[in-house]
Amino acid sequence: MAKLIIDGKEVDVPPEYTLLQACEAAGAEIPRFCFHEQLSIAGNCRMCLIEVVGIPKPQASCAMGVKDLMPNKDGSPKVLSTKSPMVKKAREGVMEFLLVNHPLDCPICDQGGECDLQDQAMAYGSDASRYAENKRAVEDKYIGPLVKTIMTRCIHCTRCIRFSTEVAGVPELGAIGRGEDMEITTYLEHAMTSELQSNVVDLCPVGALTSKPYAFAARPWELNKTQSVDVMDALGSAIRIDTRGREVMRILPRNNDDVNEEWISDKTRHVVDGLRTQRLDQPYLRENGRLRSASWKEAFAAIAGKLKSTSGKKVGAIVGDLAGAEEMYALKDLMTRLGSANIDARQDGAAFDPKRGRASYLFNATIAGIEHADALLIVGSNPRREAPVLNARIRKRWRAGPFPIGVIGDKADLTYSYDYLGAGADTLAGLAQTKFAEALKAAKNPLILVGAGALARKDGAAIASLAARAAVEFGAITDGWNGFSVLHTAASRVGALDLGLTPSAGGLDVAQMAAGGVELLFLLGADEVEVAPGPFVVYIGTHGDRGAHRADVILPGAAYPEKSAIYVNTEGRVQMASRAAFPPGDAREDWAILRALSDALGHTLPYDSLSALRQALFAAHPHMMHIDQIAPADAADIGKLAKLGGTPDKAQLASSVADFYFTNPIARASAIMAECSALANAAAKHSPLTAAE
């Protein structure tokens, strides 16, 4: 540790700290524009100047390390000042230069109220400008449907450039020109293609880059802010939902170093308009082939009438990808009381079985654990489409040092280099004969990432067994490290498996129920399955998607910002989503619908409130009460899975996500996601990988 005296306070800091970090460790507040903890150091805004006693000029604290300080001759600690007259004058000068060409259009700027330049000009700037000449003007650039540019406001901090190059791995932004002619732009002025591009809006310290869909919609002081978690993929990214009245206005990231750091995907951020479109806001009944609006009493009576003529063994339920733990538990409880074993949450038919142990379906290495891995094998997955934030974490580890990556399955642009080993299960079975096997054997913490798409096949169990065998064979299962990791794509999947929402003895799975194996079928937000003609379908959901089109009775539910619910992410972390708004019209929370329905069916569920339901849930599954914690899984389960065996097909392993922007009913209802999807498909046609294929 190095000893420093900062503003009269003596502190010990690690020698690898920058002076900025050292000052903040001492409690000092250092202004900055270009510096960001997750990006490389640029040192070009000069706002973080401090005084180092013994050096005649102020120093940029972000670009100077503690170990770079020349020691005092008498051995005394170096003295730093963040509040001296020299520092005050230097910061005022920097701020004056930054505002020389700034348009000062704060009243009409979307960044107003959340602008770093605005805040720091008030705190560290002077009260007058000596600049009387004409200001520089820069033409606005088109960089896609998500990010609006007003480049005259740009202060050239280069955060957006560093983010797109270093974190997103799609280096489309750059600087052209020099001096006062410098401009930030895409190289050919086309739309950005990264699934993480909108994070540049959060990074921009001025109003140069703002959210295009949110433009002129609201001011930050008008909004109510609710902390929640994302359900657009299985990562459970920490988010903040901003609402005005009953309407969700925007979604922003929250910092969670264990999951998403401070990034979220574009789908997470901009799916907001899908919450307002094609919503189900009242019950419907199908009569003579057409749906008509109905009361809750009529809808429940129709379901009860059908149940009277149906045996419990002929009743089934399929759970969708966005369901919370509470409604899944209530549905399973209701199905048990009806005498049915036909319940399944695996819409894609993936070969996950809770009886094989939690380790067989979790991302056991954990998301943060990716940074401790030293080799990676990706099996049947495209992390960039399935979980862009996790893909950024893999890229972060790849940039940190030697990190061999092998891919079996789709040949895709993953924003980092990798060895393409093959397309099918035969490559996985013969992994020991490949060159990449040497890298896995040499690794202390090898990571085997198995995509949900690889297991959503008829031979899914055999593929899972092969992957588990590879994990055991190449040392991915050791004391303190379990490298067998399943990347799910559905937010509800791990929670459903924890709750045992799979067919019990004699029960039917998704495919059998959808093919007509039952007479009465409940769809709890299940929109990814095609139900054959025959079964009487009751759909509980939020949007007029595939499930509602097939339904005989529609019961309108609540979307994820409209209910308080527990989710379990792909690594097994229990997370709490909080209600930020209320469902539209007569729509109700899903658990409340099931409770009222159970009463009408004569099998009343024994809980009248969400707290009572959670008490029952926690009693049956105690790990669900430990919010933001991961219940450890038994690594021995991987050895048992490896012994399962089976004969895999020769078909290519493929990702389960064909279109990143259209993975659920909320996204499919979004006009913004439709525009992004069209641009992505157009870009894919001109991709070198597509051309090579």
Side-chain angles (χ1 to χ4, degrees):
M1 302 290 279
K3 198 176 292 295
L4 298 173
I5 298 175
I6 301 173
D7 293 338
K9 180 179 179 181
E10 189 173 294
V11 294
D12 290 314
V13 296
E16 61 270 14
Y17 267 26
T18 63
L19 297 188
L20 186 149
Q21 291 172 308
C23 290
E24 292 195 332
E29 184 176 324
I30 306 295
R32 80 291 296 270
F33 292 116
C34 68
F35 176 79
H36 190 276
E37 287 81 358
Q38 302 287 352
L39 305 176
S40 62
I41 294 171
N44 54 10
C45 79
R46 318 309 285 180
M47 195 63 207
C48 64
L49 294 173
I50 64 169
E51 180 182 0
V52 180
V53 175
I55 301 178
K57 293 182 179 180
Q59 301 297 306
S61 59
C62 73
M64 190 174 198
V66 171
K67 61 185 176 184
D68 298 328
L69 292 173
M70 185 176 293
N72 291 333
K73 292 181 180 179
D74 60 359
S76 61
K78 295 294 286 187
V79 178
L80 280 58
S81 177
T82 68
K83 301 175 182 177
S84 68
M86 175 202 283
V87 173
K88 184 176 184 296
K89 184 178 179 182
R91 289 176 180 171
E92 283 184 0
V94 169
M95 183 59 68
E96 190 173 8
F97 274 117
L98 286 174
L99 295 177
V100 156
N101 282 312
H102 201 72
L104 305 179
D105 50 6
C106 302
I108 60 159
C109 177
D110 263 340
Q111 204 84 327
E114 298 175 319
C115 176
D116 291 348
L117 185 66
Q118 200 175 52
D119 296 340
Q120 292 183 37
M122 292 295 292
Y124 304 102
S126 60
D127 59 355
S129 173
R130 294 171 287 176
Y131 190 77
E133 287 76 12
N134 291 329
K135 290 179 180 282
R136 181 186 81 140
V138 180
E139 184 180 348
D140 295 342
K141 309 295 190 297
Y142 172 77
I143 59 174
L146 303 180
V147 182
K148 180 181 179 182
T149 64
I150 305 95
M151 301 312 293
T152 300
R153 302 172 185 164
C154 180
I155 62 170
H156 301 161
C157 71
T158 68
R159 279 185 181 182
C160 55
I161 296 175
R162 284 175 284 148
F163 172 82
S164 61
T165 302
E166 298 166 11
V167 178
V170 185
E172 296 170 316
L173 284 177
I176 59 173
R178 298 187 65 177
E180 70 170 11
D181 295 323
M182 178 177 167
E183 296 182 23
I184 307 295
T185 179
T186 52
Y187 295 109
L188 298 174
E189 292 207 21
H190 60 73
M192 294 175 68
T193 58
S194 171
E195 296 82 3
L196 298 168
Q197 60 180 277
S198 292
N199 288 288
V200 300
V201 173
D202 298 327
L203 289 172
C204 185
V206 295
L209 302 176
T210 56
S211 173
K212 192 176 282 188
Y214 177 70
F216 309 120
R219 289 295 195 183
W221 53 84
E222 301 174 329
L223 305 175
N224 292 316
K225 302 165 179 64
T226 306
Q227 295 188 355
S228 190
V229 294
D230 173 49
V231 299
M232 291 296 110
D233 55 31
L235 249 62
S237 299
I239 59 173
R240 193 187 85 194
I241 303 174
D242 287 0
T243 56
R244 184 173 60 188
R246 297 175 66 99
E247 187 176 10
V248 176
M249 300 302 297
R250 65 175 180 177
I251 292 173
L252 297 176
R254 287 188 296 120
N255 191 67
N256 186 338
D257 290 336
D258 291 331
V259 182
N260 60 307
E261 297 181 301
E262 53 191 278
W263 320 123
I264 54 173
S265 72
D266 294 336
K267 181 168 57 178
T268 298
R269 186 187 301 263
H270 292 295
V271 79
V272 170
D273 66 320
L275 293 167
R276 311 180 194 119
T277 312
Q278 297 183 1
R279 286 303 299 270
L280 302 173
D281 58 0
Q282 60 183 356
Y284 289 88
L285 273 175
R286 189 177 296 277
E287 289 183 353
N288 301 319
R290 296 177 66 88
L291 288 169
R292 69 163 179 88
S293 58
S295 66
W296 284 100
K297 190 174 182 180
E298 284 181 293
F300 287 165
I303 300 168
K306 179 64 180 177
L307 183 64
K308 284 180 181 178
S309 60
T310 306
S311 163
K313 294 182 179 179
K314 286 294 184 178
V315 178
I318 300 175
V319 177
D321 293 345
L322 307 183
E326 291 87 350
E327 56 254 35
M328 291 193 291
Y329 179 82
L331 179 62
K332 185 183 180 186
D333 195 355
L334 177 60
M335 296 299 291
T336 302
R337 293 169 188 272
L338 293 176
S340 172
N342 309 318
I343 187 167
D344 202 347
R346 304 165 299 179
Q347 280 193 97
D348 54 4
F352 300 114
D353 190 344
K355 295 173 185 174
R356 298 186 192 130
R358 289 187 88 225
S360 67
Y361 58 81
L362 291 185
F363 198 96
N364 294 289
T366 73
I367 297 166
I370 291 172
E371 296 183 30
H372 302 293
D374 46 10
L376 170 63
L377 175 66
I378 298 174
V379 180
S381 176
N382 181 339
R384 182 174 171 183
R385 278 189 196 157
E386 296 170 22
V389 175
L390 182 135
N391 194 63
R393 182 83 75 152
I394 295 174
R395 176 175 168 79
K396 179 181 179 182
R397 172 62 189 90
W398 173 75
R399 292 183 70 242
F403 187 51
I405 301 174
V407 171
I408 300 175
D410 289 332
K411 197 172 187 179
D413 178 9
L414 298 180
T415 72
Y416 38 80
S417 59
Y418 59 82
D419 295 324
Y420 186 66
L421 307 181
D426 53 341
T427 305
L428 181 59
L431 185 62
Q433 281 71 52
T434 65
K435 288 185 179 180
F436 190 75
E438 299 174 10
L440 287 175
K441 288 177 181 176
K444 291 183 179 178
N445 295 329
L447 176 57
I448 313 294
L449 188 157
V450 185
L455 309 182
R457 313 174 356 150
K458 291 181 180 178
D459 62 342
I463 299 293
S465 182
L466 277 177
R469 194 185 310 165
V472 173
E473 182 180 345
F474 292 103
I477 313 297
T478 59
D479 289 339
W481 178 257
N482 185 344
F484 181 84
S485 301
V486 177
L487 178 57
H488 291 275
T489 55
S492 67
R493 187 64 52 83
V494 174
L497 294 172
D498 282 353
L499 297 179
L501 266 73
T502 53
S504 51
L508 305 179
D509 61 19
V510 164
Q512 292 167 324
M513 286 187 279
V518 294
E519 295 176 11
L520 173 58
L521 179 61
F522 291 94
L523 300 180
L524 183 61
D527 290 281
E528 316 304 324
V529 292
E530 290 281 359
V531 180
F536 184 88
V537 175
V538 178
Y539 176 74
I540 304 172
T542 59
H543 285 72
D545 206 275
R546 185 179 296 161
H549 290 170
R550 172 62 184 83
D552 295 287
V553 177
I554 295 175
L555 305 177
Y560 70 100
E562 300 159 0
K563 61 186 176 185
S564 178
I566 292 172
Y567 292 90
V568 186
N569 78 349
T570 191
E571 60 183 349
R573 184 183 302 275
V574 181
Q575 299 175 300
M576 179 79 76
S578 301
R579 184 174 65 191
F582 288 91
D586 289 334
R588 296 291 182 266
E589 293 187 47
D590 300 34
W591 76 266
I593 294 173
L594 290 165
R595 168 62 181 80
L597 177 60
S598 70
D599 206 16
L601 299 180
H603 296 274
T604 305
L605 296 175
Y607 23 79
D608 295 325
S609 65
L610 183 60
S611 60
L613 169 55
R614 283 181 174 161
Q615 286 179 5
L617 171 65
F618 296 157
H621 304 278
H623 75 283
M624 286 285 185
M625 73 175 74
H626 302 299
I627 304 300
D628 204 36
Q629 295 182 34
I630 302 173
D634 188 356
D637 295 336
I638 309 302
K640 297 174 185 175
L641 182 61
K643 296 175 182 176
L644 187 65
T647 306
D649 295 338
K650 293 186 177 180
Q652 176 174 337
L653 297 171
S655 169
S656 58
V657 177
D659 190 331
F660 166 71
Y661 297 101
F662 281 166
T663 54
N664 60 63
I666 303 175
R668 287 191 287 269
S670 167
I672 298 167
M673 293 297 100
E675 188 174 356
C676 291
S677 175
L679 282 169
N681 291 333
K685 290 179 181 178
H686 299 97
S687 166
L689 284 171
T690 307
E693 290 170 5

